[in-house]
Amino acid sequence: MDKRTEYIVRKLIDTHSLDESEYKELIEKRTEESALILKEEAVRLRKEIYGDSVFIRGLIEVSNICKNDCYYCGIRKSNRSCDRYRLGREEILSCCKDGYALGFRTFVMQGGEDGFFTDDFLCGVIKEIKALYPDCAVTLSLGERSRESYERLYEAGADRYLLRHETADSGHYSRLHPESLTLANRMECLRNLKEIGFQTGCGFMVGSPFQTAECLAKDLKFIESFKPDMVGIGPFIPHKDTPFRGCPAGSAELTCFLLSVIRIIHPPVLLPSTTALGTLQEGGREKGILHGANVIMPNLSPTDVRDKYMLYNNKLSTGAESAQKLDELKRKIDSVGYKIVTEKGDIIKK
Ligand code: SAH
């Protein structure tokens, strides 16, 4: 590690903040040594706040029907080979029932932007879940909606909302999405969610096509200023029926490095070790935890739809990725020195 990198690493640890150009250097000049120092600091910070607890969230993939055409995503509108489905109210409630019995105290409803999910429908389901399981958090990840819609969902009882910003560089954003989707609107949604009172999550893919260290530096600077409650990052993995089918996947090493950096930038952040990381590399999920992540989101969708919510090739939904195999996940997390807990797992702000 050269003197300059040493200075930047020190500055990040001491001040939880860097200039955009320093983030870029931190990424470009990373070495095993700088990564190790950042990893140890990330682990220290996360232990200080969350001990050795790992929170779990039951992920219910409510629909793979989507009006958008994001170039990277396997459930994009133009993918004719995608076998489409959506869950109804009873199916969603049945997932929650199973999840509750297994110990889950957060239910995440994620899906494509499916017009079937009107505010009325969602508010009904949210109210029902909150009435049946008042000790649980409801998280939504249903894409871009109007401010009024977000307000209604919040009033119905939804607690958290995940909306990855995907990239904080508008030029890069337009290379990943069709013209109808803009970074400005994505950011407007995130600001609205936060103002309304949701625990709000942003995030991005690591190694998405055309991504540079400069893009990532902007992502980190955005996280530093936005101070989200949650940040979801995972490697880009190509999907065979998308325009990015031939693009290389992102790296597990860089994903883990960035998990550590994000933990240091915003120590209380709820940071999942994602399915994409677990899919890309054997033991990836555990590796994420060891680099500062503290959340895992096992799949709680009905088993017959799991292989239809295929965002990228080979997406894991069996084994420890399955909510029903929580014991297997517990063992794996135990084996690296952490503990799955069944608390609601809100952010701890000091
Ligand atoms: N419609 C919702 C949920 C999208 S799916 C929304 O717009 O927020 C959740 C996340 O999966 C996306 O935000 C994206 O970052 C990630 N994703 C999609 N395709 C992917 C791919 N090919 N590789 C890795 N992650 C992908």
Side-chain angles (χ1 to χ4, degrees):
M1 189 167 51
D2 60 24
K3 280 269 167 302
R4 172 77 183 152
T5 314
E6 208 170 297
Y7 162 80
I8 294 174
V9 166
R10 232 331 95 211
K11 180 175 170 188
L12 177 64
I13 291 176
D14 291 344
T15 68
H16 309 282
S17 166
L18 293 176
D19 301 331
E20 200 176 297
S21 63
E22 292 170 334
Y23 280 124
K24 178 166 175 279
E25 278 187 74
L26 185 73
I27 293 163
E28 283 177 338
K29 295 194 189 156
R30 70 187 188 280
T31 60
E32 273 179 33
E33 195 188 357
S34 71
L36 185 63
I37 294 171
L38 294 170
K39 174 185 166 181
E40 282 172 355
E41 178 63 8
V43 165
R44 192 188 70 76
L45 288 167
R46 156 273 127 96
K47 287 221 155 142
E48 205 172 80
I49 304 172
Y50 294 102
D52 56 8
S53 298
V54 173
F55 299 127
I56 46 167
R57 322 294 195 199
L59 182 62
I60 307 169
E61 296 157 333
V62 292
S63 171
N64 68 357
I65 298 169
C66 192
K67 70 171 186 321
N68 292 329
D69 224 4
C70 307
Y71 303 148
Y72 46 84
C73 185
I75 65 168
R76 65 199 298 266
K77 173 177 149 195
S78 296
N79 181 7
R80 295 272 141 69
S81 324
C82 177
D83 185 5
R84 307 284 171 174
Y85 76 91
R86 77 164 61 92
L87 304 183
R89 171 193 172 95
E90 293 310 316
E91 287 170 294
I92 296 172
L93 290 170
S94 155
C95 293
C96 295
K97 186 176 178 208
D98 293 349
Y100 194 86
L102 289 162
F104 288 89
R105 293 298 176 266
T106 293
F107 303 116
V108 182
M109 284 193 254
Q110 186 180 85
E113 291 194 16
D114 179 348
F116 176 82
F117 292 118
T118 59
D119 295 343
D120 284 340
F121 175 87
L122 290 170
C123 289
V125 176
I126 294 163
K127 282 182 190 157
E128 182 85 34
I129 298 175
K130 295 294 281 194
L132 289 167
Y133 313 106
D135 53 337
C136 291
V138 170
T139 304
L140 303 176
S141 180
L142 298 167
E144 299 176 18
R145 304 175 73 93
S146 68
R147 181 169 179 122
E148 299 71 56
S149 170
Y150 288 148
E151 278 166 354
R152 286 197 57 196
L153 300 173
Y154 185 73
E155 278 158 24
D159 303 274
R160 310 183 184 134
Y161 205 105
L162 302 173
L163 186 79
R164 290 186 176 181
H165 64 284
E166 310 297 357
T167 171
D169 180 297
S170 59
H172 185 217
Y173 197 92
S174 65
R175 301 183 82 168
L176 300 180
H177 303 94
E179 255 175 68
S180 54
L181 298 170
T182 63
L183 180 60
N185 194 55
R186 199 84 178 165
M187 291 300 194
E188 174 74 16
C189 288
L190 280 166
R191 277 191 299 274
N192 284 337
L193 288 163
K194 198 174 193 195
E195 272 175 27
I196 290 166
F198 280 102
Q199 293 177 45
T200 303
C202 65
F204 56 92
M205 290 175 286
V206 178
S208 59
F210 314 111
Q211 185 179 65
T212 62
E214 240 167 273
C215 299
L216 289 170
K218 285 185 187 162
D219 291 323
L220 296 175
K221 200 65 197 171
F222 169 62
I223 289 167
E224 187 192 305
S225 62
F226 189 64
K227 299 221 172 344
D229 301 290
M230 306 164 283
V231 175
I233 70 162
F236 161 76
I237 300 175
H239 184 289
K240 62 178 177 37
D241 302 314
T242 65
F244 292 159
R245 60 180 66 83
C247 299
S251 94
E253 174 273 321
L254 181 54
T255 304
C256 288
F257 180 83
L258 293 169
L259 283 172
S260 301
V261 172
I262 292 166
R263 171 67 60 202
I264 297 170
I265 292 173
H266 188 35
V269 73
L270 294 164
L271 194 58
S273 185
T274 53
T275 306
L277 184 56
T279 299
L280 186 70
Q281 202 178 70
E282 175 81 35
R285 198 187 305 99
E286 293 80 357
K287 223 180 200 174
I289 298 297
L290 291 169
H291 283 80
N294 66 332
V295 174
I296 295 180
M297 301 168 65
N299 195 313
L300 190 54
S301 308
T303 40
D304 60 314
V305 305
R306 282 187 195 175
D307 59 344
K308 295 181 186 163
Y309 196 79
M310 210 38 86
L311 303 176
Y312 43 83
N313 290 339
N314 308 316
K315 179 170 155 275
L316 285 186
S317 64
T318 56
E321 211 59 49
S322 164
Q324 282 71 18
K325 298 274 173 66
L326 197 55
D327 285 341
E328 189 177 329
L329 181 66
K330 279 182 180 161
R331 271 197 304 280
K332 290 192 162 176
I333 297 306
D334 267 356
S335 77
V336 294
Y338 289 84
K339 225 158 219 58
I340 297 279
V341 296
T342 55
E343 294 155 33
K344 193 168 163 192
D346 287 316
I347 188 167
I348 298 177
K349 288 180 186 160
K350 287 185 286 186

